[in-house]
Amino acid sequence: MTDRADPSALARRFGFRPVEGGKGGDPGNDNAPDATPVEPAAPEPEWETWWLPEPVKAWVEAVHVAFDVPRVMPIAAAMCAASVMLQGKARVRVKAGWEEPLCLFWLVFAPTAAMKSGVLTLATRPVYTLQDRLQLENEPIARAAKRRRWVLEAKLKSARQKTTPEAALTPKLDVFHQNYNEERDTRRDLIQQLDDELHATPIPSAPRWLFDDLNPALVLTKMRRNLDSEGIARMAVLDAEGTFMSNLLGRHSGHVDVSSLLKGYTGERINKARASRTSDDEVDTVLPHAFLTLCLMAQPHVLDTMKAVPELADNGLMGRCIVTQINTAHRLPPPDAPPVPEDVQAGYEAWVQRLARVKADTVLDLSEHFSAKGVL
């Protein structure tokens, strides 16, 4: 089992410490009755924040206070938001000849009303802001391309009609004219030119990185769209409702297929051929690479459902996930709990959007760090 799937190894790696726990009841009254004797729950791990960059550290602490949630929830959300911006552009060098893409699979299981949606909303705000801005900037460019294609298609249709055998018999074209062959060849050259120009005038689209409710069968389609729009076949699912996990477990198709997710974790090439369900044709999907990030926050019973599906363990999906279980019942934040300060949220958002400007093929060489820590 790798460190990424082993909570105890993660504890050693990142230095989180146990939270003091105890029995229920009034901690200040030793004589308080214990109406329901139960086995004390195991202490939950509490992640420390010393290893985070300052804007993120301040944001995690502010969310922890504002929502009264364990620090691991905003840490998971922030790290996955960062992964969305970096996947496909940056890699970590563990040692010479060993590099890893910055894709992240993180599953957080917490009870109802545990503020999962609120945490994810704040964490993903800078990603959505950038995504929406790119969409707005793309709209006039896409409209101009559509108009240009409409003109080219009209010209192409007209040129083809004038070169049909029926058109050659009309009075509009004298077949006995000595220049007929030259005119016909000219029209054919024009048709080829217009057809080439039409194919060279695609309608550009802005990338869409984030999804919550998505059929897993569409993962490759969305990656292909982003490959066409920005040159990187990448996407992410950040879901606080458990919808994507239900889809993954076969709500729509009735079967579990996570092969695309596994390749998206490692940034591998995808070369699939499938039979079409509507014809005798084959459906080929070829991507030079695929990058996927998952941050799924769901209720605890979803984990039990996942454990009951042997395919998820057999194919290695769970082994690629950081799994966090929050077992304690959630308390609503105190009425006087301060909100996340605007300057703290702004600092976090600026940090995420700086990651979006990282140049392609960036390599973060951490080989000395891993060697010094005795990891290798």
Side-chain angles (χ1 to χ4, degrees):
M1 180 179 292
T2 65
D3 285 354
R4 300 180 74 172
D6 182 359
S8 62
L10 285 170
R12 295 190 298 272
R13 177 75 59 84
F14 292 105
F16 53 68
R17 53 186 172 75
V19 175
E20 294 182 0
K23 293 184 179 181
D26 183 359
N29 182 4
D30 294 335
N31 297 320
D34 192 359
T36 308
V38 294
E39 187 71 20
E44 295 179 1
E46 177 63 285
W47 286 59
E48 296 183 356
T49 58
W50 55 264
W51 54 279
L52 294 169
E54 186 54 43
V56 187
K57 177 181 177 181
W59 181 82
V60 167
E61 294 293 347
V63 173
H64 165 66
V65 172
F67 291 155
D68 192 21
V69 295
R71 291 178 180 86
V72 67
M73 287 180 65
I75 288 175
M79 293 299 98
C80 287
S83 176
V84 174
M85 296 289 86
L86 291 173
Q87 60 184 359
K89 300 177 69 177
R91 305 183 304 279
V92 169
R93 179 170 295 155
V94 181
K95 66 177 183 178
W98 180 3
E99 295 180 355
E100 293 286 343
L102 292 175
C103 301
L104 189 58
F105 287 7
W106 205 319
L107 308 181
V108 179
F109 298 98
T112 301
M115 307 303 291
K116 299 184 288 290
S117 295
V119 172
L120 268 185
T121 296
L122 288 185
T124 57
R125 182 183 296 173
V127 184
Y128 276 114
T129 297
L130 178 58
Q131 182 175 278
D132 293 344
R133 186 172 76 233
L134 294 176
Q135 182 66 45
L136 288 174
E137 293 174 353
N138 179 74
E139 285 181 359
I141 302 173
R143 285 197 300 269
K146 289 179 181 179
R147 289 194 297 268
R148 179 58 182 162
R149 287 182 62 88
W150 183 85
V151 171
L152 291 172
E153 289 169 351
K155 290 182 177 180
L156 186 59
K157 181 179 179 180
S158 176
R160 283 173 172 164
Q161 288 175 342
K162 292 178 180 179
T163 57
T164 61
E166 292 80 4
L169 297 176
T170 65
K172 294 181 181 179
L173 182 62
D174 184 359
V175 297
F176 301 102
H177 196 281
Q178 60 181 355
N179 294 326
Y180 167 69
N181 290 336
E182 295 180 4
E183 292 176 0
R184 181 191 58 189
D185 293 342
T186 300
R187 284 200 181 90
R188 287 178 176 173
D189 291 342
L190 176 61
I191 290 173
Q192 185 64 53
Q193 178 184 344
L194 291 171
D195 189 61
D196 292 343
E197 190 172 353
L198 185 62
H199 282 82
T201 310
I203 300 175
S205 61
R208 182 183 176 188
W209 302 303
L210 296 182
F211 297 86
D212 44 34
D213 186 353
L214 178 72
N215 187 331
L218 296 177
V219 167
L220 296 184
T221 301
K222 301 306 180 183
M223 286 183 175
R224 163 62 69 184
R225 183 179 186 274
N226 286 339
L227 178 65
D228 293 339
S229 64
E230 64 170 348
I232 305 175
R234 59 173 173 169
M235 59 159 289
V237 179
L238 281 74
D239 178 21
E241 303 299 336
T243 307
F244 180 79
M245 190 58 66
S246 297
N247 296 342
L248 182 64
L249 294 173
R251 182 175 68 168
H252 295 299
S253 62
H255 68 281
V256 178
D257 182 7
V258 298
S259 58
S260 301
L261 277 61
L262 301 180
K263 288 184 177 292
Y265 179 85
T266 52
E268 292 182 53
R269 179 184 180 88
I270 290 181
N271 190 3
K272 281 190 174 184
R274 292 288 188 271
S276 173
R277 295 182 179 181
T278 58
S279 68
D280 294 333
D281 298 331
E282 293 182 353
V283 179
D284 292 337
T285 302
V286 179
L287 298 175
H289 52 254
F291 300 100
L292 176 67
T293 286
L294 299 177
C295 184
L296 308 179
M297 297 187 178
Q299 296 183 9
H301 74 271
V302 177
L303 179 58
D304 297 330
T305 303
M306 295 176 65
K307 290 179 179 179
V309 180
E311 293 92 338
L312 297 182
D314 295 342
N315 58 32
L317 176 66
M318 296 300 295
R320 289 164 168 79
C321 298
I322 299 175
V323 178
T324 298
Q325 293 180 261
I326 300 174
N327 298 317
T328 56
H330 182 70
R331 307 181 305 273
L332 290 177
D336 58 347
V340 176
E342 292 183 4
D343 61 326
V344 173
Q345 180 68 26
Y348 163 76
E349 294 188 14
W351 174 77
V352 172
Q353 294 192 357
R354 280 199 301 273
L355 298 180
R357 297 193 291 271
V358 169
K359 295 182 179 179
D361 296 325
T362 295
V363 176
L364 307 175
D365 193 343
L366 300 182
S367 56
E368 293 186 1
H369 170 78
F370 286 119
S371 177
K373 293 293 184 181
V375 177
L376 299 176

